[in-house]
Amino acid sequence: MDRTIVEANIARVHGRLDAVGLSVRPHVKTHKSPDIAALQLGAGAVGITVATIGEAEVFAGAGCTDIFIAYPVWVDADRARRLALLTETARVAVGVESVEGAEHLAGKLDPRIEVMVEVDSGHHRTGCDPQHAGELAAAVVGAGAGFRGLFSFPGHSYAPGAAADVAVAEAKALRVAAHACRAVGLVPSVISGGSTPSVAEMAPGVLTEARPGVYVFNDAQQWELNRCTREDIALTAYGRVVSRRPGRVVVDAGSKILGGERAAYASGYGRLLDHPEARIVQLSEHHAVVEVPHGQEPALGAVLRVVPNHVCIAVNLVDTLTVVGEEVKVQIWPVTARGANS
């Protein structure tokens, strides 16, 4: 991890969002590191976003005091107990995406915990129809929980050329949802959305808060979507060339270090930071086969900086990050929330 680039990424994205009047609540499942969360909070983030109660516990234990679990948590007795414990040191909110889920909260949720209603803005993963958000918000209140607001995840922004249209569609869906809530007498105090690909397209007017995650590191997907340049990539795996042929090399960083994800639009399983024309065309557990232009094959034993397609997956495969950068003494930072999936 290049700390200099991380800090520049944070400053650029937070500065842009601050300039248009949007709060930043970064999704820390990307890095799973309280050390990096501290950099984000120090740059003005209003709190953090996590995916699981386990992640919330790790970050609350590290001193984070405002945590949104952006997931439709199904609360059983054990989860209710754990959530209640979190409220002793942090302001906590959870997601809900169905009337059934809201009704299930009755009598289970600590009254200090707030609820955010998830709205489907076109990704079609989870979230209610925007027109039904008022009904769902009313169910939240009827279950005895506090209604904070609305959130969406525009995951379909991860497609070439889609970010601007997706940002517009998300704002439209959340506007409809907010109107539906006001129609039943409930005013959302927070309207939250955005993703790293769409964050540059977000504008004030409907949303009040952005939750990007990958921006802190960037990765091969963001590079290929033209959402960052190679100079903005802060996290790489160091792989050594173990085999060399005309037009290709093999490095010792396979799926167990890079992750095996390859989106439909991706030109490979990852890229080489210092060889932009190269592509990882074959991936197995400990081998990455890289096509390179003839005559540009790195030498056997050369150490290459490999950019994973999806940095969130790559980070979750390791216990520590090696931190380097300008005027930065090399440090080892733990991936503290690795495996905190429950």
Side-chain angles (χ1 to χ4, degrees):
M1 168 191 142
D2 189 313
R3 178 170 175 166
T4 303
I5 299 175
V6 164
E7 292 181 341
N9 290 342
I10 292 171
R12 181 177 62 257
V13 172
H14 290 216
R16 191 266 167 191
L17 290 166
D18 182 65
V20 297
L22 290 171
S23 300
V24 187
R25 182 181 293 276
H27 209 315
V28 299
K29 72 176 178 63
T30 293
H31 54 70
K32 300 176 175 59
S33 163
D35 295 296
I36 298 174
L39 298 178
Q40 294 170 311
L41 291 165
V46 297
I48 62 169
T49 305
V50 299
T52 68
I53 296 174
E55 288 181 350
E57 290 166 335
V58 169
F59 283 92
C64 294
T65 59
D66 195 324
I67 302 171
F68 171 38
I69 304 170
Y71 197 86
V73 178
W74 190 259
V75 179
D76 56 18
D78 179 62
R79 290 187 175 94
R81 177 189 60 81
R82 293 165 66 194
L83 287 167
L85 286 173
L86 283 170
T87 63
E88 295 181 2
T89 58
R91 182 189 183 202
V92 180
V94 299
V96 67
E97 62 101 44
S98 68
V99 170
E100 294 84 357
E103 292 174 342
H104 178 73
L105 298 176
K108 298 181 179 68
L109 211 58
D110 186 290
R112 292 170 291 185
I113 296 170
E114 298 172 282
V115 175
M116 295 278 286
V117 167
E118 184 174 11
V119 175
D120 182 3
S121 61
H123 186 42
H124 305 319
R125 185 177 66 181
T126 50
C128 70
D129 185 297
Q131 296 182 2
H132 297 159
E135 175 189 2
L136 180 45
V140 168
V141 174
F147 170 64
R148 180 188 291 185
L150 305 166
F151 77 104
S152 174
F153 173 59
H156 49 317
S157 61
Y158 280 80
D165 289 342
V166 168
V168 170
E170 180 184 44
K172 180 179 179 180
L174 288 169
R175 182 183 292 110
V176 170
H179 178 77
C181 290
R182 295 186 182 103
V184 298
L186 297 171
V187 179
S189 60
V190 175
I191 301 179
S192 180
S195 63
T196 294
S198 68
V199 74
E201 316 295 340
M202 295 178 69
V206 178
L207 287 92
T208 65
E209 179 181 277
R211 304 189 323 277
V214 173
Y215 78 98
V216 72
F217 291 142
N218 291 307
D219 55 22
Q221 290 185 146
Q222 302 303 321
W223 190 3
E224 297 212 338
L225 291 171
N226 293 316
R227 299 286 96 181
C228 75
T229 68
R230 62 178 295 277
E231 288 78 16
D232 302 323
I233 293 172
L235 194 84
T236 53
Y238 283 18
R240 189 178 299 277
V241 177
V242 296
S243 176
R244 186 173 186 264
R245 303 285 187 277
R248 55 148 261 193
V249 295
V250 178
V251 301
D252 60 355
S255 62
K256 286 187 173 179
I257 192 69
L258 302 175
E261 186 169 309
R262 180 177 181 176
Y265 60 81
S267 60
Y269 289 95
R271 300 181 66 170
L272 301 184
L273 189 63
D274 302 307
H275 301 268
E277 304 85 4
R279 295 294 186 277
I280 298 175
V281 296
Q282 182 181 330
L283 197 65
S284 50
E285 292 179 74
H286 297 284
H287 302 72
V289 179
V290 188
E291 285 188 352
V292 295
H294 283 270
Q296 297 181 26
E297 301 87 354
L300 276 170
V303 176
L304 309 178
R305 294 190 290 175
V306 186
V307 184
N309 272 347
H310 189 174
V311 72
C312 304
I313 294 175
V315 170
N316 194 48
L317 294 171
V318 298
D319 294 320
T320 59
L321 302 175
T322 301
V323 183
V324 300
E326 297 174 9
E327 301 180 3
V328 173
K329 181 180 179 181
V330 174
Q331 297 175 306
I332 302 298
W333 286 5
V335 184
T336 312
R338 181 189 182 197
N341 295 321
S342 64

